[in-house]
Amino acid sequence: MTSIGTGYDLSVSTYSPDGRVFQVEYANKAVDNSGTAIGLRVKDGVVLAVEKLIQSKLLVQGANRRIQSADLHIGIASAGLLADGRHVVNRARDEAQAWRDIYRQPIPGKTIADRLGQYVSAYTLYSSVRPFGTSIIVATMTEKEQPSLYMIEPSGVYWGYRGCAVGKGKSVAKTEIEKLDLENMTVREAVNEITRIIYTCHDDVKDKEFELELSWICAETKYKHQFVPNELKSEAERLAKESSSDDEMED
């Protein structure tokens, strides 16, 4: 990386001569070292999945979740530094509550993504703060609003997606997502596919054990963000393991 050691990476408010902000790039590296997070927007809902790497076998299962709710109709999955992701989720909750207080209705997906993007971007402007070392995937859906999926990067840039992935397995995940017919897929089919992709991304040799987090928003959940029921999750994991076993036999 050019310009390292010349002082251009000491402050987030300093550009290098070639127009780069190194601390934002370092924040992206923190995200790339994290477990994979994936979002799929299908015809009747949105599904989120996270490969939460287990740092210690002593941890209680379900602790420090990487998928959280910001409002009844908003699910957020984060990759990168866990505490940074939690901070952004808390900001999303404040924004969603403020919108409800003023307008007496759920905040639209585009609006919450825009406000969070601006908030994250503000942390790339001042030398007294550092960028957030997290990328978040925002999923929303209401009875009146179509499913929406946005990903916000550490720079504050956000895009709307049909399917997206962040984390160490993002390249493999994006390749698999591009093969899917998302426009004609149901949420139940998406649960199986997103689980298979997480297991495909996971490297059993290099990576630690992981806990799969899986959530969705659809008519079946009455347009509320909820974790996928255990029986559906268990079945999806079984199919994913069978699929990976078949692939290994073919190799």
Side-chain angles (χ1 to χ4, degrees), residues 127-148:
S127 58
S128 57
V129 296
R130 66 161 176 81
F132 289 108
T134 184
S135 280
I136 64 169
I137 300 173
V138 181
T140 71
M141 184 183 185
T142 65
E143 200 166 353
K144 297 178 181 177
E145 184 189 3
Q146 290 294 310
S148 64

Side-chain angles (χ1 to χ4, degrees), residues 18 32 78 86-87 115 123 136 145 182 184 241 243:
D18 51 351
D32 290 341
S78 67
R86 191 183 299 119
H87 180 96
R115 291 189 174 194
Y123 278 70
I136 64 169
E145 184 189 3
L182 296 173
N184 298 311
K241 289 172 183 174
S243 176

Side-chain angles (χ1 to χ4, degrees), residues 91-166:
R91 175 69 182 200
R93 288 170 177 162
D94 291 342
E95 293 286 359
Q97 184 62 56
W99 184 275
R100 279 186 184 273
D101 289 344
I102 296 169
Y103 299 106
R104 302 293 185 230
Q105 62 184 12
I107 189 169
K110 176 75 164 57
T111 305
I112 188 69
D114 183 64
R115 291 189 174 194
L116 289 179
Q118 290 185 52
Y119 182 71
V120 171
S121 174
Y123 278 70
T124 69
L125 304 177
Y126 307 102
S127 58
S128 57
V129 296
R130 66 161 176 81
F132 289 108
T134 184
S135 280
I136 64 169
I137 300 173
V138 181
T140 71
M141 184 183 185
T142 65
E143 200 166 353
K144 297 178 181 177
E145 184 189 3
Q146 290 294 310
S148 64
L149 185 71
Y150 295 89
M151 185 173 73
I152 302 163
E153 300 173 7
S155 63
V157 171
Y158 69 94
W159 305 91
Y161 288 91
R162 294 186 183 280
C164 60
V166 287

Side-chain angles (χ1 to χ4, degrees), residues 12-24:
V12 74
S13 61
T14 304
Y15 282 103
S16 72
D18 51 351
R20 293 160 68 180
V21 180
F22 284 118
Q23 286 204 10
V24 173

Side-chain angles (χ1 to χ4, degrees), residues 121-236:
S121 174
Y123 278 70
T124 69
L125 304 177
Y126 307 102
S127 58
S128 57
V129 296
R130 66 161 176 81
F132 289 108
T134 184
S135 280
I136 64 169
I137 300 173
V138 181
T140 71
M141 184 183 185
T142 65
E143 200 166 353
K144 297 178 181 177
E145 184 189 3
Q146 290 294 310
S148 64
L149 185 71
Y150 295 89
M151 185 173 73
I152 302 163
E153 300 173 7
S155 63
V157 171
Y158 69 94
W159 305 91
Y161 288 91
R162 294 186 183 280
C164 60
V166 287
K168 60 174 60 181
K170 67 178 180 182
S171 299
V172 175
K174 286 176 182 176
T175 303
E176 293 296 322
I177 291 170
E178 287 169 0
K179 298 175 184 176
L180 303 177
D181 182 12
L182 296 173
E183 288 188 9
N184 298 311
M185 186 178 288
T186 65
V187 281
R188 282 183 172 255
E189 292 169 341
V191 165
N192 292 334
E193 289 295 342
I194 205 169
T195 305
R196 179 185 62 79
I197 294 171
I198 288 286
Y199 272 84
T200 302
C201 296
H202 184 73
D203 190 335
D204 291 325
V205 179
K206 294 181 182 177
D207 294 337
K208 301 174 182 176
E209 291 183 10
F210 76 98
E211 181 184 333
L212 176 68
E213 292 188 12
L214 207 55
S215 70
W216 59 357
I217 314 172
C218 55
E220 195 171 329
T221 66
K222 298 180 180 177
Y223 305 101
K224 294 179 181 179
H225 175 248
Q226 295 179 357
F227 284 97
V228 172
N230 285 330
E231 59 270 18
L232 285 180
K233 179 183 172 185
S234 300
E235 176 65 11

